[in-house]
Amino acid sequence: MMNDATLRKIDLNLLLAFSVLMQERNVSRAAERLLLGQPGLSAALRRLREALDDELFVRVGRGLQPTPRALSIAPAIEDALSGIERAIRPQAEFDPTSWQGEFRIGMCDNLESAFFGPLAARLLQLSPGARLIGIASDKRDSARRLDEGVFDFSVAMHDEPASWHIRAPLFDQVSICIYDEAQLGLKAPLSLKDFANVAHVTVSFEGHTSTGIDMALNRTGDVRQVVATVPRFSALPMVLKAMPAIATVPESIGRCMAQLHGLMLCEPPLSLPTDPVTMLYRRVDQTDGRARWFRRLFIDVANKALEASGCCVSIPRAAA
């Protein structure tokens, strides 16, 4: 068996020189293919002969004849070189039209309402053999579930990522007020007094009633009355249609709700903080053709959805 010291003497250049010599059986032609001078190729052959303790090639006339040892090792060396070539060859461009499988995306429900439908429709057009799977996700568990392979990427308000993740900024989500004009009896724009005095409905998965809106109101000396809290945005329109109350929601889902349910929108009468929406994906997927295509598709679809709904934000394509 060949020892470690012998193996260390054999590098890729020597194996490549051996392979070309087996094909050409001529030092001059082999050196030309390898972009080497004849002395350089002769030196490489000498090192390989010493490492393997065999002549490998003997001169016969103007050509070279491989020895039995060279003939016996040639197939394995060719296989090894072919494997290396396949491994380092540039990946073929991803073809969505012929691909069959799942694309999986994690989103919180407000973003899901705004983007999932248009994304599914566009994917069906571009990749008929694909299936889109939406996974409920938020910043609390998105990193862990990403590592577990639950989805290809997550769109949410993510915390600082781990070193093996990439968090790409998408857009800053602003807030907008939404209500049923027939129930509430108020016209836009709302005054701060009207906003503070009407009943409020909040959305909280955990059942929290206090949000950044209350802190902003405290700075003006005002207090609001929260009369109901729902765990999901999908329940909000029916609540607002049933009672004289107002809700303050992310603009992207607020505009969707207004179009679908005939609700009124208006700007909040006080300054509220924005929420940075980001895309979280694994660093190892950064250059993967399939994953990169899916991320770019989402950004294109989300940009069109934001524009169609009347939102004034857009997502840079470089985020993918």
Side-chain angles (χ1 to χ4, degrees):
M1 181 178 292
M2 190 178 296
N3 59 41
D4 291 344
T6 301
L7 286 173
R8 283 195 292 270
K9 294 178 182 178
I10 302 175
D11 59 24
L12 184 59
N13 289 327
L14 293 184
L15 296 181
L16 186 59
F18 173 84
S19 175
V20 175
L21 281 169
M22 284 293 296
Q23 296 168 31
E24 297 293 345
R25 310 292 175 90
N26 182 282
V27 173
S28 297
R29 291 198 299 271
E32 185 177 348
R33 277 186 57 186
L34 292 166
L35 303 178
L36 286 174
Q38 289 190 36
L41 180 56
S42 296
L45 180 57
R46 183 171 59 253
R47 289 169 56 201
L48 195 56
R49 283 168 167 164
E50 292 173 355
L52 297 178
D53 193 24
D54 189 272
E55 280 294 299
L56 297 178
F57 298 94
V58 294
R59 186 170 295 280
V60 177
R62 294 185 178 182
L64 298 175
Q65 179 68 41
T67 67
R69 171 74 163 147
L71 291 171
S72 68
I73 66 175
I77 290 176
E78 286 299 321
D79 285 346
L81 291 174
S82 296
I84 293 171
E85 182 185 8
R86 288 192 299 271
I88 65 176
R89 184 183 299 150
Q91 291 184 346
E93 190 70 22
F94 174 70
D95 180 13
T97 61
S98 61
W99 192 80
Q100 294 190 352
E102 292 181 350
F103 290 102
R104 303 174 69 89
I105 181 171
M107 285 191 288
C108 50
D109 64 335
N110 67 305
L111 297 172
E112 187 179 62
S113 297
F115 303 132
F116 189 85
L119 180 62
R122 187 64 176 146
L123 187 63
L124 181 61
Q125 293 176 341
L126 299 179
S127 187
R131 179 187 299 112
L132 181 62
I133 306 296
I135 309 294
S137 174
D138 60 31
K139 68 178 183 179
R140 297 168 302 173
D141 63 359
S142 55
R144 173 183 58 81
R145 303 186 80 187
L146 182 64
D147 287 335
E148 292 172 353
V150 175
F151 38 68
D152 294 288
F153 62 85
S154 167
V155 180
M157 281 66 73
H158 299 107
D159 292 328
E160 185 70 23
S163 60
W164 56 89
H165 291 162
I166 292 178
R167 182 181 62 175
L170 297 181
F171 62 95
D172 287 336
Q173 185 167 253
V174 301
S175 297
I176 197 165
C177 296
I178 185 168
Y179 60 94
D180 184 346
E181 187 176 11
Q183 282 282 358
L184 203 58
L186 293 175
K187 296 284 187 180
L190 295 183
S191 68
L192 180 58
K193 179 180 178 181
D194 288 335
F195 180 78
N197 288 339
V198 297
H200 285 253
V201 179
T202 62
V203 181
S204 172
F205 181 78
E206 302 89 353
H208 298 156
T209 59
S210 180
T211 69
I213 298 172
D214 298 284
M215 291 186 284
L217 282 171
N218 288 340
R219 288 192 290 270
T220 67
D222 295 293
V223 178
R224 67 173 178 165
Q225 180 188 11
V226 176
V227 298
T229 297
V230 294
R232 297 176 184 85
F233 284 94
S234 58
L236 188 59
M238 295 302 101
V239 175
L240 296 178
K241 297 289 284 187
M243 60 189 297
I246 193 170
T248 305
V249 299
E251 182 187 23
S252 56
I253 191 173
R255 293 193 178 277
C256 291
M257 288 179 179
Q259 293 173 2
L260 290 173
H261 300 281
L263 297 171
M264 178 66 67
L265 296 174
C266 69
E267 299 292 328
L270 72 171
S271 178
L272 297 175
T274 60
D275 293 316
V277 177
T278 58
M279 174 186 288
L280 189 72
Y281 58 94
R282 299 184 305 169
R283 191 171 293 277
V284 295
D285 292 331
Q286 187 172 16
T287 58
D288 178 77
R290 173 196 159 281
R292 185 171 54 201
W293 182 87
F294 185 35
R295 294 194 301 268
R296 288 177 175 174
L297 176 66
F298 172 80
I299 287 175
D300 288 342
V301 168
N303 264 329
K304 289 181 174 65
L306 289 169
E307 181 181 3
S309 68
C311 294
C312 298
V313 296
S314 61
I315 305 173
R317 185 172 174 81

